[in-house]
Amino acid sequence: MKVKRFGVSLEEDLLKSLDNLVKTHQFPNRSQAIRYLINKNLTEEKWNTNVFVAGAIVLVYDHHKRDLQNRSTNLQHDYHDLILSVQHVHLDHHNCLETIAVKGKAKDLKSLADKLIALKGIKHGQLVMSTSG
Ligand code: NI
């Protein structure tokens, strides 16, 4: 695709933030960082729509937390039609890492992820979605 150049005016603070992003993500230059941000935003804007997407819900939790696994399993059964696979890894004596591969309408995936991440005892939770196009 043809690449067009344009000028961008930014406050000093914002430019500093952009340069930090270039550094932390190891982008080769500012243009690549801006491309990344635009694509990320476009994908996230689709999160509340009926667009079909694929993704993964990543959860880290302590399996000793009372009822947590039960509740998580119940929720996953409520949304079984969205779930392609579940990978469970025992990280150490307490912690589990679960990666749930999902496919369906973006807003439904978001709804499932929000409910899982909100469960009491979840230490970390994140939904990653990607459009096929
Ligand atoms: Ni485990």
Side-chain angles (χ1 to χ4, degrees):
M1 200 179 289
K2 199 176 168 217
V3 176
K4 293 205 171 186
R5 294 179 65 94
F6 68 102
V8 180
S9 308
L10 280 181
E11 286 75 10
E12 225 168 275
D13 283 3
L14 271 180
L15 184 60
K16 216 172 173 182
S17 299
L18 181 66
D19 286 337
N20 281 336
L21 189 88
V22 169
K23 217 173 174 183
T24 54
H25 285 252
Q26 300 184 26
F27 291 123
N29 50 48
R30 288 173 177 164
S31 293
Q32 195 57 33
I34 291 171
R35 265 182 218 114
Y36 163 81
L37 289 173
I38 293 170
N39 280 324
K40 187 167 179 278
N41 186 262
L42 287 174
T43 302
E44 286 175 6
E45 274 183 358
K46 290 178 182 155
W47 284 22
N48 277 321
T49 67
N50 288 322
V51 174
F52 275 85
V53 293
I57 302 167
V58 177
L59 302 171
V60 174
Y61 60 88
D62 182 341
H63 75 272
H64 293 115
K65 285 274 177 206
R66 211 180 134 80
D67 260 358
L68 177 56
Q69 263 183 325
N70 246 338
R71 285 173 201 214
S72 174
T73 303
N74 284 340
L75 266 173
Q76 292 183 42
H77 277 270
D78 288 345
Y79 288 83
H80 67 89
D81 50 329
L82 301 178
I83 297 176
L84 301 170
S85 74
V86 182
Q87 184 194 50
H88 184 111
V89 177
H90 311 303
L91 291 176
D92 55 35
H93 188 68
H94 293 278
N95 295 301
C96 306
L97 167 72
E98 223 165 78
T99 308
I100 306 168
V102 286
K103 195 171 134 187
K105 285 181 187 173
K107 63 177 187 182
D108 294 339
L109 302 188
K110 177 92 170 48
S111 166
L112 169 61
D114 284 347
K115 285 178 185 165
L116 285 170
I117 292 165
L119 286 175
K120 205 175 164 188
I122 297 285
K123 291 181 174 179
H124 176 78
Q126 203 174 338
L127 167 66
V128 180
M129 281 200 278
S130 180
T131 48
S132 49

